[in-house]
Amino acid sequence: MVADEERTTSCGTVCLKYLLFIFNLLFWLSGGAVIAVGLWTLVDKSEYISLLSSSTYSFAAYILIAAGAVVVLTGVLGCCAAIKESRALLIVFFVLLLLIFLLEITAGVLAYVYYQECFPFCYKLDEELRADLKETMVQKYQRPGHEHITRAVDKLQQDLKCCGSNSSADWLQGTWADELAYGRLVPDSCCKTPTDRCGVRDHPSNIYKVEGGCISKLEEFILQHLQILGAVGIGIACLQILGMIFTCCLHGRLREEPY
């Protein structure tokens, strides 16, 4: 009878141990995914970021990378705690999970409150930032020494299928129109099918004419990615609740079992 009871307890402990190990594997992968998103933002979208005078977006990417690294390290600690069946490591792991969870909840609540207070204006780019973006595009495009700006503007207009900061008419103002247009009304990257000097025609059949220009498209792009990040955050938070439950159960089993 005693042997049966010990075998049942041991079996329950093993099950919890492997459940916690699987959780930590998923948690570790989610941390890796967060790091990947941060790196992708910095590397693939770095040209977009270079057009913005504010460092907020690149700072947000660094925060993502740091948060992902913390999640990965916490996942590794959880795996070690499960394999070694160490009650001390399990307590540390539980505390770390709880802290990360509380930080996520606090950030989510603050973001929601801020969004409700400033809707529908909070999702719009700051007016100064919008003016800076327009100034950068029309004054520095194709200027010597600003090749990175030229690449960024071309990529922005082709990827987001837009033309000009507010509208295609923006390209009729500024340094580019006065000195570098050579008969073109818009840059060739505004064209639906870019070819040399295709920008001489600004008809909607030839170029992207979007209400609100590239700024509105950039706002949509940022909002979409924020929604994706919010969904990922909710998913990770649900995982953490499961992890805390498994940790508490395994810690309780280990305390009951004789060494």
Side-chain angles (χ1 to χ4, degrees):
M1 191 71 179
V2 175
D4 289 341
E5 185 179 346
E6 288 182 359
R7 186 164 54 249
T8 303
T9 303
S10 178
C11 181
T13 302
V14 169
C15 287
L16 283 171
K17 176 179 173 180
Y18 281 105
L19 281 173
L20 187 59
F21 185 83
I22 292 169
F23 158 78
N24 279 295
L25 180 61
L26 294 174
F27 195 55
W28 184 85
L29 289 174
S30 67
V34 171
I35 293 175
V37 169
L39 290 173
W40 171 74
T41 302
L42 286 176
V43 176
D44 190 59
K45 302 303 173 186
S46 59
E47 292 181 337
Y48 290 178
I49 294 171
S50 69
L51 292 173
L52 305 176
S53 59
S54 172
S55 60
T56 302
Y57 302 101
S58 56
F59 182 65
Y62 286 117
I63 289 178
L64 277 178
I65 294 170
V70 171
V71 169
V72 167
L73 291 175
T74 304
V76 171
L77 177 65
C79 286
C80 293
I83 292 171
K84 291 181 175 293
E85 298 184 5
S86 168
R87 283 190 290 168
L89 284 178
L90 284 173
I91 292 172
V92 173
F93 176 64
F94 178 85
V95 170
L96 286 174
L97 277 183
L98 184 61
L99 286 174
I100 295 171
F101 180 75
L102 290 175
L103 285 172
E104 286 175 347
I105 294 298
T106 303
V109 169
L110 290 175
Y112 178 77
V113 170
Y114 178 73
Y115 180 83
Q116 292 299 316
E117 286 179 351
C118 67
F119 183 82
F121 305 106
C122 63
Y123 66 87
K124 291 185 177 294
L125 292 172
D126 180 81
E127 288 301 319
E128 183 179 350
L129 190 60
R130 294 161 71 94
D132 286 343
L133 182 59
K134 178 181 176 180
E135 183 76 9
T136 298
M137 290 177 74
V138 300
Q139 299 295 344
K140 296 181 179 179
Y141 183 74
Q142 290 188 335
R143 297 282 294 177
H146 296 289
E147 289 79 9
H148 66 291
I149 297 293
T150 301
R151 288 193 301 269
V153 171
D154 287 341
K155 182 176 176 61
L156 180 71
Q157 294 189 143
Q158 278 295 298
D159 287 358
L160 301 187
K161 302 184 187 307
C162 58
C163 183
S165 54
N166 294 293
S167 71
S168 58
D170 291 338
W171 288 111
L172 299 176
Q173 311 163 21
T175 304
W176 181 82
D178 296 337
E179 302 175 11
L180 302 166
Y182 303 116
R184 289 175 296 174
L185 299 175
V186 294
D188 295 338
S189 58
C190 281
C191 299
K192 296 178 180 178
T193 306
T195 56
D196 187 39
R197 296 190 57 78
C198 64
V200 295
R201 289 179 61 247
D202 63 352
H203 192 272
S205 63
N206 185 50
I207 69 169
Y208 295 114
K209 288 221 173 191
V210 180
E211 186 178 351
C214 288
I215 286 176
S216 64
K217 285 285 192 175
L218 192 56
E219 288 170 352
E220 290 176 14
F221 174 83
I222 292 170
L223 268 181
Q224 288 171 358
H225 282 72
L226 285 176
Q227 289 168 355
I228 292 170
L229 289 176
V232 170
I234 291 171
I236 292 176
C238 292
L239 269 178
Q240 285 174 259
I241 293 173
L242 285 175
M244 286 186 282
I245 293 171
F246 293 152
T247 303
C248 287
C249 292
L250 181 58
H251 183 272
R253 286 278 189 175
L254 292 174
R255 187 174 56 184
E256 291 172 3
E257 288 186 0
Y259 285 98

